[in-house]
């Protein structure tokens, strides 16, 4: 006669529940690891699939490939789906202005070209079309009150009306440094450091106290720097710069600024798309004739890096799995709950082993005789 324990079905269910919970925890942990890997790859790595065989080739510099994931080329429709009724803000020098026009052309190329021909270079610009507003704030030294107010408003819902332009910003990108090299002879690096240090509490992803951010204690602070990026200092094509630029914009000035930005990104959690610099690395055809600015297709792919960072996760939730945009296709939030679930699973591992062993003893004979 075979004896069966009355607790056998309960143990079976308990074992199945624990196994499912642990599998879910491990899957979430694996998803988080993949997300972080692809997120970092998009920011820091990549190469051209179509480098040019000759200057200004129309079919070159169209496909930028980060390792391990697919970067999506954003269109007007994609941008509207992600950022409708929000603003895309670029602040800084001519590098930021190029990103501004590249974004505007994605939304409406014809209208952007018309406005670009009439626009002043060293002034604030706005392009509004299709429910998305793109703003450019001219601030090459990164020290204006408008820049700080824009970042404060981005971080805090209650201060949106205090933004330099007004309205909610969905993506903010800051770019500067070239003017320090161009117009300062001795203390260019100290000036750049001061500007970056002054803004770092508003740029980084690590939490800062409301007092440090000069925000009211009752205010609702967003995740600092979640969609705020600082572009690396543009590395020129030194050999073709004009004589006046070539004498001031030199590697001995540009490189230390980028090194300091790198150190700040590590210590303060500032997000820097270093892939922007890789797009011109050993690619002289990526530059315009001036040697300072990049061609339109390169600028457009730089914008795509930012939009993939900002929008892929959101579009994944609304449109399903993105087979053509797998970079950053999972949200970075809820990491705490994932860690708790994983730690809980690991802490009860001995119980799992016991249940499994006990279960094998109890279930080695079928529950139903045939």
């Amino acid at each position: 006669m075979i004896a069966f324990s009355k607790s056998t079905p309960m143990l079976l269910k308990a074992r199945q529940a624990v196994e499912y919970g642990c599998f879910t925890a491990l899957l979430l942990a694996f998803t988080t690891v993949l997300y972080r890997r692809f997120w970092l790859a998009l920011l820091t790595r990549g190469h051209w699939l179509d480098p040019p065989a000759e200057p200004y080739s129309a079919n070159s510099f169209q496909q930028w490939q980060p390792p391990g994931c697919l970067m999506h080329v954003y269109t007007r429709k994609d941008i509207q789906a992600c950022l409708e009724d929000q603003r895309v803000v670029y602040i800084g020098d001519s590098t930021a202005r190029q990103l501004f026009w590249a974004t505007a052309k994605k939304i409406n190329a014809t209208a952007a070209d018309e406005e670009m021909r009439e626009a002043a270079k060293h002034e604030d610009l706005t392009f509004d079309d299709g429910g998305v507003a793109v703003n450019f704030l001219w601030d090459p030294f990164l020290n204006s009150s408008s820049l700080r107010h824009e970042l404060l408003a981005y971080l805090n819902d209650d201060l949106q009306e205090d933004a330099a332009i007004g309205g909610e910003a969905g993506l903010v990108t800051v770019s500067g440094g070239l003017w320090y090299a161009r117009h300062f002879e001795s203390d260019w690096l100290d000036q750049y450091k001061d500007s970056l240090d002054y803004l770092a509490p508003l740029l980084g992803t690590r939490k800062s106290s409301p007092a440090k951010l000069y925000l009211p204690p009752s205010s609702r602070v967003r995740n600092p720097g979640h969609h705020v990026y600082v572009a690396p200092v543009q590395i020129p094509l030194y050999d073709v710069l004009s004589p006046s630029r070539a004498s001031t914009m030199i590697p001995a000035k540009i490189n230390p600024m980028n090194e300091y930005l790198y150190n700040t990104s590590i210590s303060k959690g500032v997000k820097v798309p270093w892939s922007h610099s890789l797009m011109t690395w050993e690619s002289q055809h990526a530059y315009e004739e001036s040697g300072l600015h990049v061609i339109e297709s390169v600028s457009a792919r730089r914008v795509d890096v930012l939009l993939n960072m900002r929008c892929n996760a959101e579009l994944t939730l609304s449109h399903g799995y993105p087979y053509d945009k797998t970079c950053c296709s999972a949200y970075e939030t809820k990491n705490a709950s994932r860690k708790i679930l994983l730690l809980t699973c690991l802490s009860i591992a001995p119980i799992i082993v016991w249940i499994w062993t006990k279960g094998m003893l109890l279930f080695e004979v079928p529950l139903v005789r045939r």
Side-chain angles (χ1 to χ4, degrees):
M1 181 176 180
I2 301 176
F4 300 97
S5 170
K6 293 183 180 180
S7 63
T8 294
M10 183 178 297
L11 287 173
L12 178 61
K13 291 180 180 180
R15 190 180 76 179
Q16 291 174 340
V18 171
E19 290 173 352
Y20 177 78
C22 288
F23 174 77
T24 302
L26 292 173
L27 181 61
L28 289 174
F30 179 69
T31 302
T32 301
V33 170
L34 284 181
Y35 173 83
R36 291 185 178 277
R37 177 186 175 187
F38 295 156
W39 176 77
L40 289 173
L42 187 59
L43 274 182
T44 61
R45 301 173 64 187
H47 65 278
W48 291 109
L49 296 179
D50 52 354
E54 57 185 20
Y56 311 113
S57 174
N59 297 322
S60 300
F61 293 122
Q62 301 294 327
Q63 301 180 58
W64 178 256
Q65 179 61 59
C69 64
L70 298 175
M71 190 181 82
H72 182 60
V73 176
Y74 269 74
T75 64
R76 170 190 174 94
K77 182 178 179 181
D78 299 324
I79 297 172
Q80 287 175 322
C82 175
L83 295 166
E84 189 172 13
D85 298 326
Q86 298 183 70
R87 294 182 301 120
V88 180
V89 181
Y90 297 102
I91 308 171
D93 56 15
S94 57
T95 304
R97 186 175 62 236
Q98 275 204 300
L99 297 175
F100 164 82
W101 286 120
T103 306
K105 289 181 179 182
K106 282 180 172 291
I107 298 172
N108 188 330
T110 302
D113 281 332
E114 293 178 358
E115 294 191 19
M116 187 176 178
R117 285 192 291 268
E118 300 178 0
K121 289 185 177 181
H122 298 165
E123 293 182 3
D124 298 349
L125 301 169
T126 297
F127 182 86
D128 196 339
D129 189 283
V132 179
V134 189
N135 303 126
F136 168 68
L137 295 179
W138 172 250
D139 183 12
F141 293 117
L142 306 181
N143 59 1
S144 69
S145 59
S146 296
L147 168 57
R148 187 168 181 83
H149 290 162
E150 189 69 45
L151 293 176
L152 283 170
Y154 174 80
L155 290 172
N156 188 267
D157 291 331
D158 294 334
L159 300 179
Q160 285 293 334
E161 62 183 19
D162 295 331
I165 301 170
E168 181 180 358
L171 173 64
V172 179
T173 304
V174 178
S175 175
L178 287 175
W179 273 49
Y180 283 115
R182 183 77 170 86
H183 297 285
F184 286 79
E185 294 183 3
S186 58
D187 58 345
W188 46 271
L189 184 57
D190 290 335
Q191 294 289 339
Y192 178 75
K193 287 181 177 180
D194 289 344
S195 294
L196 199 58
D197 291 344
Y198 181 68
L199 297 173
L202 305 177
L203 297 171
T205 56
R206 296 185 178 180
K207 292 183 179 179
S208 301
S209 66
K212 190 172 183 179
L213 295 176
Y214 304 101
L215 301 179
S218 60
S219 59
R220 293 171 291 138
V221 180
R222 299 181 184 181
N223 180 11
H226 188 61
H227 299 305
V228 177
Y229 302 90
V230 181
V233 181
Q234 174 69 38
I235 300 174
L237 189 61
Y238 296 107
D239 293 341
V240 300
L241 290 174
S242 65
S244 62
R245 287 173 173 170
S247 64
T248 55
M249 295 181 177
I250 58 177
K253 287 185 175 182
I254 304 296
N255 293 343
M257 285 190 286
N258 275 326
E259 289 174 4
Y260 189 76
L261 177 60
Y262 173 78
N263 292 332
T264 303
S265 71
I266 299 299
S267 62
K268 302 294 178 61
V270 176
K271 292 182 179 179
V272 182
W274 295 108
S275 53
H276 284 196
S277 292
L278 288 177
M279 290 182 183
T280 59
W281 184 257
E282 297 183 347
S283 300
Q284 63 178 7
H285 300 324
Y287 293 88
E288 294 179 350
E289 293 182 358
S290 66
L292 182 61
H293 302 124
V294 298
I295 61 177
E296 287 190 3
S297 57
V298 173
S299 188
R301 296 297 82 78
R302 286 178 169 180
V303 169
D304 282 326
V305 168
L306 300 171
L307 290 174
N308 275 255
M309 293 289 300
R310 169 62 180 86
C311 294
N312 280 7
E314 188 168 325
L315 295 182
T316 299
L317 294 182
S318 58
H319 294 83
Y321 188 77
Y323 294 101
D324 62 339
K325 43 182 177 290
T326 59
C327 297
C328 308
S329 59
Y331 271 111
E332 193 177 9
T333 58
K334 299 183 181 179
N335 283 336
S337 59
R338 294 181 181 184
K339 291 178 181 178
I340 292 173
L341 185 58
L342 182 59
L343 289 174
T344 302
C345 177
L346 294 177
S347 66
I348 62 175
I351 301 176
I352 298 173
V353 174
W354 180 85
I355 293 177
W356 185 272
T357 305
K358 188 72 174 177
M360 290 181 64
L361 295 175
L362 290 172
F363 307 145
E364 59 184 356
V365 179
L367 295 178
V368 179
R369 286 185 174 180
R370 298 187 183 276

